[in-house]
Amino acid sequence: MMRILLFLATNLAIVLVASVTLSLLGVGSIHDGQGGMNLTSLLIFCAVIGFAGSFVSLFLSKWMAKRGTGTRIITQPQTRQEQWLVDTVAELAQAANIGMPEVGIFPSRASNAFATGWNKNASLVAVSEGMLQRFSPNEIRAVMAHEIGHVANGDMVTLTLIQGVVNTFVMFFARIIGNFVDRAVFKNEGSGPGIGYFIATIAAELILGILASIIVMWFSRQREFRADAAAAQLSGSGNMIAALERLRAEQGIPVEMPGEMTAFGINGNLKNGLAGLLMTHPPLEQRIAALRAGNYR
């Protein structure tokens, strides 16, 4: 139920932001009333919708992450382990020259952690209960360094910008394709779009969306290598390799993280074949090999 409410709240916010922005920009109909399209209005419309979704998700990311994963923020450490975790994150954040993130723990038997937030000086890093139970202090430190690396590299903002760009062009070209099919294939000669426009636009968005996701996921995998490199610098490559080796040994345990948060975790679901193009994370073997070779990309 919570995930459904989060989904509805996010989409309502996107609609409100997009509506206000389009109104302020004075964007009218994307169709010219003569069977063609107003490309300028179309591009602005697609950019506003495409970037609105990405940026609303970014600004709500901490709120959504806390509720979607059940993360408990450590405001006053209650145990030695919690105090150690907060102190470790503070030390790593200072070394990475970013503001102190909120530190949290979320309930999951799988070993995982994530970072999120729209600002590198107002971020959130969290670790699962399973990881705290089974990983050594040095391994947890390396994982936290990896997440701090994401924050320091500005990965959340960069991924948002890339997602906004691909959203824009998927919507833009899908509607151009839809209009062409409507006129050339369905022979619609009316002043407005016909049923062929809507059918073709939806189909084109699905196909182009998959191609766009391949681009976004490629970037997501590259940023994992960079975050691993940051962790190696902050906590030592040996500790980061040990943490990844431990993750590899636990690959049979389900990730247990909401789909929208998978890209921000240290451990993602692995896929084979063509589905591997849609992985948020590279195979652990590749990450370990890159660290051992000093090839931090």
Side-chain angles (χ1 to χ4, degrees), residues 201-223:
T201 296
I202 293 173
E205 280 194 348
L206 290 174
I207 296 171
L208 294 175
I210 293 173
L211 296 177
S213 294
I214 291 175
I215 296 173
V216 175
M217 292 303 101
W218 175 86
F219 170 78
S220 180
R221 292 193 295 273
Q222 299 310 303
R223 72 191 188 123

Side-chain angles (χ1 to χ4, degrees), residues 15 32 34 43 45 57 61 64 76 111 113 117 151 160-161 166 176 185 191 197 199 204 217 227 235 255 293:
V15 171
D32 62 10
Q34 300 176 352
L43 183 58
F45 170 83
S57 295
S61 61
M64 293 176 63
Q76 291 293 332
S111 296
V151 176
T160 296
L161 292 173
V166 299
I176 290 177
V185 178
S191 60
Y197 169 81
I199 294 174
M217 292 303 101
S235 66
V255 172

Side-chain angles (χ1 to χ4, degrees), residues 3-227:
R3 293 185 187 179
I4 294 175
L5 292 176
L6 290 175
F7 175 79
L8 293 175
T10 303
N11 281 276
L12 177 60
I14 292 169
V15 171
L16 290 175
V17 170
S19 298
V20 171
T21 304
L22 289 170
S23 177
L24 291 174
L25 292 174
V27 177
S29 175
I30 61 176
H31 299 278
D32 62 10
Q34 300 176 352
M37 306 195 79
N38 185 329
L39 295 183
T40 300
S41 293
L42 175 61
L43 183 58
I44 295 174
F45 170 83
C46 293
V48 169
I49 299 297
F51 278 95
S54 296
F55 276 101
V56 167
S57 295
L58 175 64
F59 289 126
L60 294 178
S61 61
K62 285 173 61 174
W63 179 79
M64 293 176 63
K66 291 174 186 178
R67 284 152 183 79
T69 62
T71 295
R72 174 178 59 86
I73 301 300
I74 303 175
T75 53
Q76 291 293 332
Q78 301 297 316
T79 65
R80 287 185 180 181
Q81 186 180 54
E82 289 184 2
Q83 185 64 62
W84 173 84
L85 183 63
V86 171
D87 291 343
T88 297
V89 171
E91 180 185 342
L92 293 170
Q94 184 176 17
N97 196 30
I98 64 171
M100 176 64 183
E102 290 185 274
V103 182
I105 299 173
F106 60 96
S108 174
R109 66 190 182 93
S111 296
N112 215 333
F114 67 84
T116 191
W118 70 273
N119 188 315
K120 65 174 61 180
N121 293 317
S123 60
L124 162 68
V125 295
V127 62
S128 70
E129 292 176 348
M131 178 170 282
L132 286 175
Q133 292 168 0
R134 297 190 298 275
F135 277 45
S136 71
N138 283 340
E139 291 166 349
I140 295 173
R141 177 184 173 85
V143 170
M144 292 293 97
H146 172 98
E147 301 306 333
I148 291 294
H150 276 310
V151 176
N153 292 339
D155 285 342
M156 281 67 79
V157 174
T158 306
L159 189 62
T160 296
L161 292 173
I162 292 175
Q163 187 67 64
V165 170
V166 299
N167 287 346
T168 298
F169 284 102
V170 165
M171 294 177 65
F172 181 77
F173 287 111
R175 279 154 181 77
I176 290 177
I177 293 171
N179 191 67
F180 173 79
V181 171
D182 189 40
R183 298 289 165 175
V185 178
F186 284 78
K187 306 299 182 182
N188 176 28
E189 297 180 357
S191 60
I195 187 64
Y197 169 81
F198 297 103
I199 294 174
T201 296
I202 293 173
E205 280 194 348
L206 290 174
I207 296 171
L208 294 175
I210 293 173
L211 296 177
S213 294
I214 291 175
I215 296 173
V216 175
M217 292 303 101
W218 175 86
F219 170 78
S220 180
R221 292 193 295 273
Q222 299 310 303
R223 72 191 188 123
E224 289 302 317
F225 287 114
R226 291 192 293 271

